[in-house]
């Protein structure tokens, strides 16, 4: 029996960071306000005191500089874990992400590793307006040479951050910022990890598969409770966006014949489309109804509460999508 | 090359040999490109040999460098093998990058050469990161970034130097001011007299040296290296030089005249002036010099033969090396999944 503890997502990630820093001396943290301040979302709170300023480093506000430095640090034998405070700011560092971090191993003929972990936050719901609320993980998942994970539970958050740090490839961990207080049962064994590229079935059901990410996992589980006795939802936490565990979704669709994809990113050309394309390619003849997607209708995230509530998907949007196909 | 002393006869001869090797490599690359044997773009280092060799001869083998578009010279100066470089230029799987990088991306991480770079200004943050590794592990290694004058206008260069200065990292930034950022003169791209003046903004030492004089570059970098290894932080060095060729081979160069080139080439060529100095000192005589040139030419000719005979990549290799392990998605898209019957219960 695996020992678990009730933890918030924030505590789970912090525990994952702490365990990996204890395990491997080459692992260090850097980012804006991660040390003395403890991170604006308090994820790294206390780690400066547990370790020291060599292992937990406050950077200047210069994403291109410190993300670029993580590329050089990784290529020279370190294992940097970088926090980009809001994933919207990835744009500032995109040259180093897309042309250097992603391409270096390939362009060097496989002769270097790139063990960088980027932790960053996504999602609306805080009234933070367009530049602090986006969900741009598709940028990274789309780009060859980068891996992207997006946990939907506290357990997955800890397990994935640990796998990301252990990986010799660049891995982006997308943390939904309104999930930090969400609690779950988290294994305490320091060797517990969640493999990158594996989805988890969070709720078994017979009628409709909901493949969800991040906060939409919880919203979909809530939708499943609302629909219980009427429509039996199977809820999958995709957990890893690239690589994507197509087989777990396909297996579920072979059982249910129906698929809803729920992810808080914009709908066009995105994460939803990728999941659906794969299922159509391989499971077309298992499908009994059109596929449905729940996401953000190609808008930026607005400031005013009424406007933000309008565009951010919730359980009722999942229910609506399920109703169309059930 | 491992720190090659400029104050011994053997050291000076080795430094000359490296510069001659770069010149011969580049002239050969120019011809092979003109003949259509090298695909893509080629950006040559001819005229700038004193900067790369002057800088790398002041470094230890274990020190890191990052390079620019114009990376052949830095690679040879760092001690990379012209055979494997030429094989890379011809796209062979036996080249440094297995044919995946080409001229603009030659790298040898085993030699701590972290890559030529196709993005102007992208190397300095990477060098800052290598310097961070050195500081993190408390070694006395240093990292040196070569950058062009054009790169000084890039924001990430400022960020990289500011980070290294703030953290006292063992980094050296060597601006190769070859007078043009692509096709625009340096004066039209910057508002300072000397690009090294920007060092003041970071409160680090900044020097402008004669980049046509290998001794001057060597001495400036040696001093910067000592400062870096002592924990006193980064240095910014501007080396004033001149590129004899266009930004890329095939560049019509309407931004300058032949006279502009010959003014530098005839008066200040870094190799000829160093040869004269060595002849004057008696470090080498005419016969030995001739013999050195022939040896270098033979080495480059052998590199071309090696590159032409080297294995061509298997097309399947296009899907390798993205990650440390094969990514399932790639197999899926190249068709393996369907070919062997997995991927769903097709009817």
């Amino acid at each position: 029996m695996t020992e678990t503890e009730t933890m918030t997502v924030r505590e789970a990630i912090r525990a994952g960071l702490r365990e990996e820093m204890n395990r491997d001396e080459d692992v260090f943290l850097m980012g804006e306000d991660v040390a003395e301040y403890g991170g604006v979302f308090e994820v790294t709170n206390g780690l400066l005191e547990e370790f020291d300023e060599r292992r937990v480093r406050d950077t200047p506000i210069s994403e291109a500089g410190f993300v670029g430095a993580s590329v050089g640090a990784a290529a020279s034998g370190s294992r940097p874990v970088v926090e980009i405070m809001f994933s919207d700011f990835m744009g500032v560092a995109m040259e180093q992400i897309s042309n250097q971090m992603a391409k270096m191993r390939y362009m060097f003929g496989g002769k270097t590793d790139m063990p960088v972990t980027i932790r960053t936050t996504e999602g609306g719901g805080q009234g933070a307006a367009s530049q602090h609320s986006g969900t741009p993980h598709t940028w990274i998942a789309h780009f060859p040479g980068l891996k992207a994970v997006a946990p939907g539970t506290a357990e997955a958050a800890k397990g994935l951050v640990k796998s990301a740090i252990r990986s010799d490839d660049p891995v982006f961990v997308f943390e939904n910022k309104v999930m930090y207080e969400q609690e779950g049962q988290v294994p305490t064994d320091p060797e517990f990890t969640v493999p990158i590229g594996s989805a988890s079935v969070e709720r078994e059901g017979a009628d409709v598969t909901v493949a969800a990410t991040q906060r939409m996992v919880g919203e979909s589980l809530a939708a499943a409770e609302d629909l219980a006795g009427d429509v039996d939802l199977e809820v999958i936490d995709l957990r890893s966006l690239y690589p994507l565990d197509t087989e777990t979704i396909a297996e579920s669709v072979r059982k249910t014949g129906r698929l809803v994809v729920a992810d808080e990113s914009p709908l066009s050309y995105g994460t939803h489309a990728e999941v659906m394309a794969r299922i159509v390619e391989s499971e077309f003849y298992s499908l009994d109804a059109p596929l449905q997607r729940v996401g953000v209708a190609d808008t930026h995230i607005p400031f005013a509460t009424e406007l933000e509530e309008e565009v951010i998907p919730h359980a009722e949007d999942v229910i609506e999508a399920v109703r169309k196909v059930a | 090359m491992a720190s090659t002393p400029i104050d011994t006869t053997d050291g000076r001869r080795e430094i000359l040999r490296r510069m001659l090797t770069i010149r011969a490599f580049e002239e050969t690359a120019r011809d092979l490109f003109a003949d259509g044997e090298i695909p893509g773009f080629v950006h040559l280092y001819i005229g700038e040999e004193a900067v790369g060799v002057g800088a790398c001869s002041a470094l230890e083998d274990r020190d890191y460098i990052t390079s620019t578009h114009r990376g052949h010279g830095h690679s040879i100066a760092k001690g990379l093998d012209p055979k494997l470089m030429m094989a890379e230029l011809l796209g062979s799987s036996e080249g440094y990058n297995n044919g995946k990088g080409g001229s603009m991306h030659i790298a040898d991480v085993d030699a701590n050469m972290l890559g030529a770079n196709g993005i102007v200004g992208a190397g300095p943050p990477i060098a800052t990161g290598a310097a961070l590794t050195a500081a993190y592990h408390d070694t006395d290694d240093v990292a040196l970034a070569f950058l062009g004058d054009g790169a000084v206008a890039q924001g990430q260069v400022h960020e990289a130097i500011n980070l290294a200065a703030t953290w006292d990292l063992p980094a050296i930034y060597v601006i190769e001011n070859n007078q043009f950022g692509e096709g625009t003169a340096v004066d039209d791209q910057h508002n300072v007299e000397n690009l090294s003046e920007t060092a003041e903004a970071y409160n680090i030492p900044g020097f402008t040296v004669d980049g046509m004089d290998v001794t001057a570059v060597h001495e400036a970098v040696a001093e910067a290296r000592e400062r870096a290894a002592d924990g006193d932080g980064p240095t910014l060095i501007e080396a004033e030089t001149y590129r004899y060729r266009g930004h890329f081979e095939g560049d019509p160069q309407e931004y300058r005249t032949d006279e502009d080139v010959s003014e530098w080439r005839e008066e200040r060529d870094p190799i000829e002036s160093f040869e004269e100095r060595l002849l004057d000192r008696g470090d080498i005589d005419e016969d030995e010099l001739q013999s050195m040139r022939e040896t270098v030419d033979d080495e480059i000719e052998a590199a071309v033969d090696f590159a032409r005979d080297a294995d061509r990549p298997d097309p399947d290799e296009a899907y390798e090396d993205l990650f440390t392990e094969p990514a399932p998605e790639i197999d899926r898209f190249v068709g393996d999944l369907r070919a062997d019957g997995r991927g769903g219960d097709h009817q």
Side-chain angles (χ1 to χ4, degrees):
Chain A
M1 191 67 189
T2 316
E3 294 234 1
T4 64
E5 223 174 81
T6 305
M7 272 184 218
T8 63
V9 167
R10 173 185 293 116
E11 289 164 344
I13 295 168
R14 188 187 300 141
L17 295 171
R18 178 190 296 122
E19 286 172 9
E20 294 310 299
M21 290 176 77
N22 281 325
R23 194 182 64 82
D24 186 345
E25 174 71 18
D26 289 338
V27 176
F28 64 86
L29 312 184
M30 65 174 168
E32 293 151 355
D33 289 335
V34 298
E36 281 199 40
Y37 196 102
V40 290
F41 292 100
E42 298 174 28
V43 174
T44 54
N45 205 6
L47 293 178
L48 173 65
E49 290 72 27
E50 283 180 53
F51 296 93
D52 56 26
E53 63 275 4
R54 176 174 163 266
R55 309 282 310 273
V56 188
R57 311 177 77 103
D58 280 326
T59 62
I61 301 173
S62 55
E63 284 81 2
F66 68 76
V67 172
S70 78
V71 173
S76 56
S78 302
R79 304 186 78 84
V81 180
V82 178
E83 178 174 309
I84 297 179
M85 194 180 282
F86 291 84
S87 56
D88 313 74
F89 309 165
M90 290 194 306
V92 182
M94 211 58 192
E95 147 53 25
Q96 285 290 331
I97 293 170
S98 67
N99 277 317
Q100 311 300 328
M101 189 190 296
K103 293 178 182 171
M104 196 180 266
R105 177 184 173 79
Y106 185 78
M107 290 196 312
F108 290 9
K111 293 176 186 169
T112 188
D113 292 343
M114 188 48 57
V116 178
T117 299
I118 305 278
R119 292 180 42 247
T120 189
T121 64
E122 290 191 308
Q126 294 195 317
S130 299
Q131 293 170 347
H132 292 69
S133 303
T135 299
H137 51 230
T138 308
W139 301 358
I140 299 302
H142 176 70
F143 210 92
L146 303 173
K147 293 184 175 179
V149 299
T153 64
E155 177 183 347
K158 182 183 177 191
L160 286 170
V161 90
K162 287 165 67 72
S163 288
I165 294 170
R166 295 184 187 194
S167 171
D168 287 330
D169 297 316
V171 182
F172 284 66
V173 182
F174 289 99
E175 300 165 11
N176 183 284
K177 60 178 93 74
V178 299
M179 281 175 60
Y180 282 127
E181 289 292 321
Q182 180 181 309
E183 288 187 335
Q185 289 299 307
V186 179
T188 51
D189 177 1
E191 280 312 303
F192 159 76
T193 59
V194 168
I196 294 166
S198 80
S200 69
V201 178
E202 291 293 314
R203 181 190 194 279
E204 292 194 15
D207 298 335
V208 177
T209 301
V210 183
T213 63
Q214 299 177 322
R215 193 180 55 80
M216 294 312 295
V217 175
E219 297 289 326
S220 301
L221 290 169
E225 291 309 307
D226 274 13
L227 290 165
D230 182 5
V231 186
D232 191 17
L233 294 193
E234 176 142 306
V235 178
I236 296 173
D237 178 3
L238 292 180
R239 301 199 298 200
S240 179
L241 304 173
Y242 194 97
L244 179 69
D245 181 359
T246 312
E247 188 45 37
T248 293
I249 315 162
E251 194 180 320
S252 177
V253 167
R254 286 198 286 273
K255 179 172 67 173
T256 63
R258 291 170 168 83
L259 176 66
V260 172
V261 183
D263 175 76
E264 202 183 308
S265 61
L267 286 162
S268 288
Y269 293 95
T271 305
H272 312 78
E274 180 60 33
V275 174
M276 291 166 64
R278 290 186 190 207
I279 293 305
V280 169
E281 279 176 342
S282 67
E283 300 303 327
F284 183 77
Y285 297 107
S286 304
L287 293 168
D288 296 322
L291 308 179
Q292 297 295 318
R293 47 187 165 170
V294 176
V296 172
D298 289 3
T299 177
H300 301 299
I301 308 304
F303 166 67
T305 308
E306 299 85 339
L307 302 176
E308 190 180 34
E309 279 296 300
E310 165 62 25
V311 303
I312 303 264
H314 291 288
E316 48 268 33
D317 299 289
V318 176
I319 292 170
E320 204 176 300
V322 168
R323 290 282 184 211
K324 284 186 189 163
V325 296
Chain B
M1 90 183 109
S3 104
T4 305
I6 205 154
D7 53 3
T8 68
T9 300
D10 285 350
R12 286 188 291 270
R13 287 171 64 125
E14 175 59 16
I15 282 167
L16 175 61
R17 196 186 68 78
R18 292 284 168 144
M19 289 201 289
L20 287 168
T21 306
I22 295 171
R23 181 72 55 97
F25 185 94
E26 295 296 63
E27 287 175 350
T28 304
R30 173 196 66 197
D31 295 344
L32 293 176
F33 182 82
D35 292 344
E37 272 196 76
I38 298 175
F41 296 116
V42 170
H43 307 77
L44 297 180
Y45 199 62
I46 298 174
E48 305 181 36
E49 294 89 346
V51 186
V53 175
C56 289
S57 61
L59 299 179
E60 300 295 335
D61 276 344
R62 61 179 190 274
D63 293 336
Y64 291 91
I65 67 164
T66 65
S67 173
T68 66
H69 274 52
R70 219 169 291 289
H72 306 164
H74 306 140
S75 300
I76 290 171
K78 186 73 172 109
L80 269 61
D81 183 345
K83 281 204 312 289
L84 301 180
M85 290 172 59
M86 199 61 88
E88 186 59 35
L89 261 57
L90 266 60
S92 162
S93 59
E94 292 184 52
Y96 268 114
N97 311 39
N98 299 4
K100 292 222 179 79
S103 168
M104 263 190 290
H105 305 294
I106 288 174
D108 182 9
V109 171
D110 290 339
N112 294 333
M113 195 302 195
L114 299 181
N117 211 306
I119 304 295
V120 172
I126 296 171
T128 297
L132 174 56
T133 289
Y136 186 76
H137 292 288
D138 201 21
T139 65
D140 59 2
D141 306 347
V142 308
L144 182 149
F146 290 104
L147 59 150
D149 45 280
V152 176
Q154 284 277 10
Q156 60 176 328
V157 170
H158 161 72
E159 294 191 20
I161 302 175
N162 181 59
L163 182 60
T166 304
W167 287 359
D168 288 329
L169 298 181
I172 304 168
Y173 303 92
V174 175
I175 302 165
E176 300 182 312
N177 180 356
N178 67 16
Q179 312 303 320
F180 297 97
E182 305 214 2
T184 300
V186 63
D187 294 347
D188 294 333
Q189 299 202 38
H190 302 281
N191 197 35
V192 288
E193 181 87 6
N194 292 310
L195 297 174
S196 60
E197 288 169 36
T198 54
E200 280 180 42
Y202 313 112
N203 192 23
I204 63 170
F207 306 104
T208 294
V209 300
D210 181 357
M212 304 304 263
D213 177 355
V214 71
T215 308
V217 177
H218 176 99
E219 284 169 355
V221 172
E223 195 183 317
R225 193 194 180 284
E226 199 176 328
R227 185 178 301 116
D230 286 349
D232 295 332
T235 303
L236 183 66
I237 298 167
E238 175 191 24
E240 290 189 310
T241 182
Y242 198 76
R243 69 165 146 80
Y244 296 174
R245 305 292 299 172
H247 171 61
F248 53 90
E249 286 305 283
D251 176 0
Q253 303 183 64
E254 285 171 8
Y255 49 86
R256 67 175 174 187
T257 64
D258 289 346
E259 289 73 41
D260 296 334
V261 182
S262 51
E263 192 181 309
W264 285 75
R265 183 164 206 154
E266 280 154 27
E267 304 293 321
R268 302 177 61 183
D269 185 80
I271 298 179
E272 281 174 22
S273 59
F274 196 60
E275 282 173 351
E276 281 165 27
R277 206 176 315 167
L278 266 52
L279 288 165
D280 287 348
R281 297 178 64 106
D283 284 337
I284 199 164
D285 63 31
E286 284 288 359
D287 288 346
E288 288 170 325
L289 182 57
Q290 190 52 33
S291 154
M292 184 185 278
R293 289 190 188 120
E294 283 165 14
T295 307
V296 162
D297 288 344
D298 289 348
E299 186 190 4
I300 300 305
E301 205 175 306
V304 174
D305 290 343
F306 173 84
R308 285 177 174 153
D309 292 344
D311 293 341
R312 302 302 305 171
D314 181 326
D316 281 350
E317 291 167 20
Y319 305 110
E320 295 171 1
D321 299 330
L322 277 144
F323 298 109
T324 49
E325 56 205 40
E329 271 67 5
I330 295 171
D331 283 347
R332 168 177 296 270
F333 289 123
V334 297
D336 288 359
L337 210 89
R338 287 188 207 104
D340 66 13
R342 285 179 289 142
D345 54 350
H346 296 268
Q347 291 178 359

